[in-house]
């Protein structure tokens, strides 16, 4: 199997990134909790929007009734 230079470079980068110092690991530890918090906030906002939209009558129905 012949690897291209781009593939070799990608493998080299992936291998070198496994030896990241502990100072940058402190920032990486916050990624998952932050992502979960943002996902929960987005889900809550989306649910709120759907409930709000379903509670109000649509403009389309009011326009049809006017005709």
């Amino acid at each position: 199997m012949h690897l291209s230079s781009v593939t070799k470079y990608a493998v080299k980068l992936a291998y070198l990134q496994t030896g990241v110092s502990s100072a940058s690991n402190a920032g990486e530890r916050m990624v998952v909790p932050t992502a979960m918090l943002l996902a929960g906030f987005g889900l809550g906002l989306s649910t709120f929007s759907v409930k709000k939209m379903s509670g109000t009558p649509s403009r389309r129905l009011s326009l049809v009734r006017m005709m």
Side-chain angles (χ1 to χ4, degrees), residues 2-66:
H2 178 70
L3 298 175
S4 68
S5 60
V6 174
T7 306
K8 289 178 186 177
Y9 185 65
V11 170
K12 181 180 175 182
L13 281 179
Y15 180 73
L16 290 176
Q17 287 179 351
T18 58
V20 178
S21 67
S22 63
S24 67
N25 282 341
E28 289 177 7
R29 279 186 247 149
M30 289 301 297
V31 171
V32 173
T34 304
M36 295 297 283
L37 180 70
L38 289 174
F41 179 73
L43 190 60
L45 185 62
S46 177
T47 304
F48 172 76
S49 298
V50 167
K51 285 181 181 179
K52 185 131 177 116
M53 284 180 10
S54 67
T56 58
S58 70
R59 290 184 58 205
R60 190 177 213 182
L61 288 176
S62 63
L63 288 175
V64 169
R65 289 180 192 156
M66 292 175 72

